[in-house]
Structures are given as structure tokens and as C-alpha cells.
Amino acid sequence: MFRSAATGLSDVTRRLSHRLSPWSLLVLAIALFVALPVIAILAHVFMPTQGIWQHLASTVLSRYLSNTFLLAVTVGLGTMVIGTGTAWLVVMCRFPGRRLFEWALLLPLAVPTYVIAYAYTDFLQFAGPLQSWLRELFGWSHGDYYFPNIRSLGGAATLMTLVLYPYVYLLARAAFLEQSVCVLDVGRTLGRGPWRLFVSVAVPLARPAIVGGVSLVLMETLNEFGAVQFFGVDTFTTGIYRTWFGLGEQVAAAQLAACLLLFVIALVLLERWSRGKRRYFHTTNRYQQLPEYRLHGWRAAGALLACLLPVLIGFLLPSGLLAHMAMAKGDALFGTRFLGFAWNSLTLATLAAVIAVALAVVLSYGVRLHDSPPIRFATRIAAMGYAIPGSVVAVGILIPFAWLDSTLNNWLHAHYGKVVGLIFSGSAFILIYAYVVRFLAVSFNTVEASLGKVTPSMDAASRTLGQTPAGTLKRIHTPIMRGSLMAAGILVFVDVMKELPATVILRPFNFDTLAVRAYSLASDERLAEASTASLAIVAVGIIPVVLLSMAMRRSRPGSGNR
């Protein structure tokens, strides 16, 4: 009996040591470190606010709720219609310019929302070129005509729709490329034409991908700060910033952030539920070329116009306006301090990209080695940062690190009579930390998908040759994943270049980036000067668009170079 008890105890110890291997502990530690901002936010939910919450509820909270809800619904519906419709046209229809629009429809992804807001405000405002030309042409004066106000909730929703629809287009196009030809053929034999086939067959099959794209759009909408702040639209994101820095209320800002976080979690759960509600599988490994609908006459012209307008309004026109303003006036600091802004942006983006990719490799390889529920849960928590708005991440980071700086300074003053200042919360450290928390999911998803394509037999062969898990990762997996690692790094790099809310809140004193420079100038109504930094951000953002379009062209097995 004693032997059997000892044997059972040794088995438990062996299983526990297997679960608590160095890789498992490292994955859990990374997940805890990345989840720290969320924990800090949720810890403040039930703290007293000394009446400030009642003040917010009686004055601005209803406006935050209504504006955020209307903005999310409008942008979500608009991006779903544009993204799904254009994806179907370029995949299934043949019309002039289709091959060009395959990648051109992704170009607005390179333009931050606040940048397009600056460009169109200068172009459409009362003193702008368009209204000035109209007054000169028709002899109008102020009050003689009606012109939509770009600085409004409707203007913000329109511009955000034109910038964010590529998220839906990207996933919907991938879903349409992967759809089964057999199902489409059955639909056609039942007498369904292209339009009915699209509505009754293709869209239901692609529904999880479309919902996933819309979920990404809604998360970006909730995260948006620069455009809504510039347009004077009060949302939860601007409210968090105003409560923290305007009223100096840390607890109330954290509770506003918690409300927004709960809404984001609900969106994530809704997207998961939609994805898991129905599942469709290919019943054959044979891939055929998708059927083609050749459009002629007014149908071809309509398809061309439907694909041209989002690219024209969402990328070509604002980029042209920025280029014109940059060449006509531009930033007065271009060539001097501007190089410092560019260097700060490039340094932060590079460091954040390297760290995010390295952590993504550790997390994804840890799941591969020990695919247990705790490890999967930890990695999902670590990859949740992309769903959390930058302002929420910033508040969640400032709370613990400001406390750590205060505690450290009090201890040093009590024991040594010295004060060292803000070591953590006043340095670029928490800025890079915020970028990693925010964009780790971008690199993790890319690395996890690439690692999943490596056959497990390679791991077994490596172990028989005496390689450790770390050696297998270094000598086997990393060379195979080199392309995906570079793609993940580039995506994180560009996202960091565009990130504004976390940068504005967390940046050290007298430390500006291209995004902050553009935001600061635009806030002072110096739009022409803001164009230089804005154009630089757009130019950098074009790189991943080209990479994405090249990857998508080869995404359907057996498609060749179609």
C-alpha cells in the first residue's frame, strides 16, 4: 500500500513538474506581465470617486455613451457594406482594373484616421479650397448656401469608414477565395444568378470572416482618439483622457476605462460566439478555379466606380492633399528637429516590433510544447491587448508604475535623503511596454499560424538528434518562419508608427514622435505644418499593404497566378 501511495505521489510530482516546465513558467510570466494594465483597471472599479462619478453621470456620461454607440454602429455597417461588396467584386467578377483594385483597395489601411481627418478638414472647411472655389464660381457669400460640417459625428463616422473598411475587405476576400466551388455550382444549378448567389450562399459562408473584420473595425473605432478629439466628438476615449488630465481624477478615469473595457470584451465574446455558431468544412482537397462573371457595359462601369471611390476618397485624395500642403508650406522644423521626431518614431517602432515578435515566438512555441488549458488561456489573455483601446492601456500602465515610482522615491528619501524622479512612468520604457501590450496580438497571430504549418515530425526528429526545445526553435523553426517573422515585425512597426492615444498619454516630457507632432500641430489648427509628419506616417504604412496584397494573391491553394 505504501508503495502504491509513493508511486501515485511520484506520478503527481512528475505531471506537475511537466506542467511547470521552464517554457510553461515563461509563458505564464509573460501573460501576467502583459495583463497587468487590465488587472490595474479592473482593480479600480469599486474604489470611491468622491462624487466625481456622479458629476460625470449628470453632465457628459450620456453623451459619451450615445456618441460612442452611434459611431460604432455607423462605422460597423459602412465598413461591412464597402468591404464585403468590393471583396466579392474583385474575387468573382471580371471588369476593367480588377487586378489593380485587388491591392489598391488595401491602401487606406496605410492612412491613420487622424491623418485623413486633418487632410479633409483643411480641404472642406469654410476657408478651404473647395468652399472658396464654390463661392468664387457662383458668387455666394456666407449664409447663401449649405455645406455639411466635416467636424461632426457624421463626418467622423464617414472618414473612419473610409479608412477602416480594408479590415473587412481583407478577411472577406480571403473567405471568398477559400470558398468551395461545389457549393457555388449547386447554387447556380438551382437558378440563382450572381446577386442571389452572393446574398444567399457566399455571404452566409463568409459570415464568420465578415463578423471578425467588423469586430476589428469596432475595436479600432473605440480606440480612435485623434480624429474624434479633433472633430470635437465626445466619446469614451476622449472622456478618459479628459478625466485623467483635465480633472486629475485617476480613479474616475480608470472606471471609465473599465466601462469601455467591458464593452470591448462583449465585442470579443460576440465575435467568438458568431465564429463558433456554425462551421463549414471542405470535403475535398481538390481546388478548382472559381467561376467568373464577366461584366460589360453599365455593370462593368458600376463595378469600376464601386471599387474606385473608396480608394479615391480614402487614400488618393487625402494623400494628394497632404503632399500639396507639405510642398506648399509644410513643417517649419523639417530638416532640423523633424529628424529627431522621425528618429524617436523609428526607434520606438523598431524596439516594440522586435520585442513583440520575440514574445510572440515564446508564447506560440510554449503552446506547441504544452498545449494545456492553462497555457492556452494565458496566451489568449496575453493576446487580448489589440482589443483594448490605447487610452485604456495607457491608464492601466500609469496606475501601477506611478505607484512604483512614488514608493521607490519615498523609500530612497527616507533612507538616503535622495529623490531620483520618475524612473518608470517618466521614461520611454512604459511607452514601449504599452506598444507591446497593445500589438502583441498582431505578431502572435501571425507567428502562431506560421508555426502551426510546421509538421510535428520535425520536432520528433530534432529530439532524436539530441536537440533541446530551445535548440529546435533556434535551428529548425526560426529559419522556416523567417518570412512570417519579418511580416509580423513590419505589421507591428507600422501600427506603432500610427498609434496616438497611448503615445500622447505616456510619452516622456519633451519627447515627441511623428504622430504626436502631427496631432499637436493639428490641435493648434496648423494643418499645413502637420501635413509633413502625416505624410511620413502614410509613406511608411504603404509597405505592409504591398506585402499583404502579394500574400493574398497566393492565398488560394491551386490558384497559381490567377
Side-chain angles (χ1 to χ4, degrees):
M1 183 177 67
F2 290 109
R3 178 176 298 180
S4 61
T7 303
L9 182 61
S10 63
D11 291 340
V12 172
T13 305
R14 191 182 307 110
R15 287 196 298 266
L16 184 61
S17 63
H18 176 72
R19 292 178 182 176
L20 299 180
S21 67
W23 278 103
S24 301
L25 293 175
L26 187 58
V27 169
L28 295 175
I30 292 173
L32 178 62
F33 186 63
V34 174
L36 182 61
V38 178
I39 298 173
I41 290 292
L42 296 179
H44 283 69
V45 170
F46 301 105
M47 289 187 177
T49 57
Q50 300 178 350
I52 188 64
W53 185 256
Q54 289 77 6
H55 170 71
L56 292 175
S58 62
T59 54
V60 295
L61 187 60
S62 60
R63 188 161 67 247
Y64 292 162
L65 284 169
S66 60
N67 286 345
T68 302
F69 177 76
L70 290 174
L71 197 64
V73 171
T74 306
V75 175
L77 291 175
T79 54
M80 181 175 64
V81 172
I82 296 175
T84 307
T86 53
W88 174 261
L89 287 175
V90 298
V91 170
M92 302 298 298
C93 301
R94 299 297 174 264
F95 57 92
R98 180 192 66 85
R99 295 296 293 270
L100 174 66
F101 288 121
E102 282 183 351
W103 61 269
L105 283 163
L106 287 170
L107 287 175
L109 201 61
V111 186
T113 309
Y114 55 87
V115 167
I116 196 174
Y118 304 157
Y120 274 114
T121 298
D122 182 78
F123 182 65
L124 298 176
Q125 64 184 350
F126 181 79
L130 182 59
Q131 290 200 55
S132 299
W133 177 76
L134 289 175
R135 290 195 299 271
E136 182 179 351
L137 180 65
F138 295 103
W140 292 336
S141 59
H142 179 67
D144 292 341
Y145 65 98
Y146 168 77
F147 198 87
N149 182 18
I150 187 67
R151 287 186 162 179
S152 62
L153 179 63
T158 301
L159 296 185
M160 292 173 70
T161 299
L162 293 171
V163 170
L164 298 177
Y165 80 84
Y167 286 105
V168 182
Y169 167 80
L170 191 67
L171 297 182
R173 186 187 169 206
F176 291 149
L177 284 171
E178 295 171 356
Q179 62 193 347
S180 171
V181 176
C182 303
V183 176
L184 297 178
D185 287 340
V186 170
R188 291 199 294 179
T189 58
L190 294 176
R192 285 178 168 82
W195 170 248
R196 292 187 62 194
L197 194 67
F198 167 70
V199 173
S200 61
V201 178
V203 170
L205 287 175
R207 186 174 64 90
I210 296 172
V211 172
V214 174
S215 299
L216 291 176
V217 167
L218 293 178
M219 292 173 193
E220 289 294 328
T221 302
L222 295 177
N223 177 61
E224 181 54 41
F225 173 77
V228 293
Q229 171 83 357
F230 185 66
F231 282 173
V233 178
D234 292 329
T235 63
F236 263 104
T237 305
T238 60
I240 293 168
Y241 182 85
R242 199 171 298 158
T243 304
W244 182 286
F245 291 97
L247 301 178
E249 292 290 339
Q250 171 181 311
V251 175
Q255 291 177 348
L256 281 175
C259 293
L260 185 56
L261 181 60
L262 293 176
F263 186 62
V264 169
I265 292 174
L267 283 178
V268 173
L269 294 178
L270 177 64
E271 189 270 337
R272 294 288 181 184
W273 172 83
S274 176
R275 181 189 301 179
K277 192 69 175 179
R278 296 178 182 176
R279 297 184 180 183
Y280 305 94
F281 301 94
H282 292 298
T283 57
T284 177
N285 292 327
R286 298 179 60 188
Y287 286 83
Q288 307 173 34
Q289 184 171 336
L290 292 170
E292 299 180 355
Y293 300 103
R294 297 193 176 274
L295 305 181
H296 303 283
W298 67 269
R299 290 185 176 86
L304 176 64
L305 186 64
C307 293
L308 176 62
L309 283 178
V311 179
L312 177 64
I313 304 176
F315 179 80
L316 295 178
L317 184 56
S319 298
L321 293 172
L322 290 174
H324 173 73
M325 288 190 290
M327 291 186 292
K329 295 181 181 179
D331 195 339
L333 297 181
F334 182 74
T336 53
R337 287 186 60 196
F338 187 87
L339 295 178
F341 304 146
W343 175 255
N344 291 340
S345 295
L346 293 173
T347 303
L348 290 175
T350 302
L351 289 174
V354 171
I355 295 172
V357 172
L359 294 182
V361 170
V362 174
L363 291 174
S364 56
Y365 193 58
V367 174
R368 185 182 181 92
L369 290 177
H370 308 289
D371 190 12
S372 61
I375 297 300
R376 287 198 300 271
F377 177 76
T379 55
R380 295 308 169 202
I381 292 296
M384 190 180 172
Y386 192 71
I388 304 174
S391 57
V392 177
V393 172
V395 172
I397 289 175
L398 272 179
I399 291 173
F401 282 102
W403 173 85
L404 183 61
D405 278 333
S406 177
T407 303
L408 180 60
N409 279 286
N410 291 336
W411 184 83
L412 290 174
H413 183 266
H415 290 79
Y416 300 99
K418 295 182 179 180
V419 176
V420 295
L422 302 178
I423 299 177
F424 298 103
S425 58
S427 67
F429 164 77
I430 60 170
L431 200 54
I432 297 175
Y433 176 44
Y435 294 149
V436 172
V437 172
R438 177 89 170 85
F439 301 116
L440 177 62
V442 177
S443 57
F444 175 76
N445 292 337
T446 305
V447 173
E448 185 183 37
S450 178
L451 190 62
K453 297 177 183 178
V454 180
T455 174
S457 61
M458 290 189 175
D459 298 66
S462 178
R463 286 196 298 269
T464 60
L465 294 175
Q467 289 292 331
T468 62
T472 302
L473 176 63
K474 178 181 178 181
R475 295 178 175 84
I476 305 297
H477 296 304
T478 301
I480 295 175
M481 298 189 299
R482 185 179 292 113
S484 296
L485 295 180
M486 292 183 62
I490 290 175
L491 289 175
V492 175
F493 178 89
V494 175
D495 279 334
V496 171
M497 289 286 293
K498 297 191 297 182
E499 173 63 27
L500 183 62
T503 309
V504 170
I505 295 175
L506 297 176
R507 65 190 175 97
F509 179 73
N510 201 27
F511 184 91
D512 288 339
T513 63
L514 290 175
V516 173
R517 177 64 176 172
Y519 168 74
S520 300
L521 292 174
S523 300
D524 295 337
E525 299 297 333
R526 298 158 65 184
L527 297 178
E529 295 180 61
S531 62
T532 305
S534 301
L535 194 63
I537 298 172
V538 173
V540 174
I542 295 176
I543 298 174
V545 170
V546 176
L547 294 176
L548 285 173
S549 62
M550 292 173 61
M552 287 186 66
R553 180 168 293 182
R554 300 188 295 267
S555 62
R556 179 177 173 83
S559 62
N561 297 320
R562 74 179 282 273

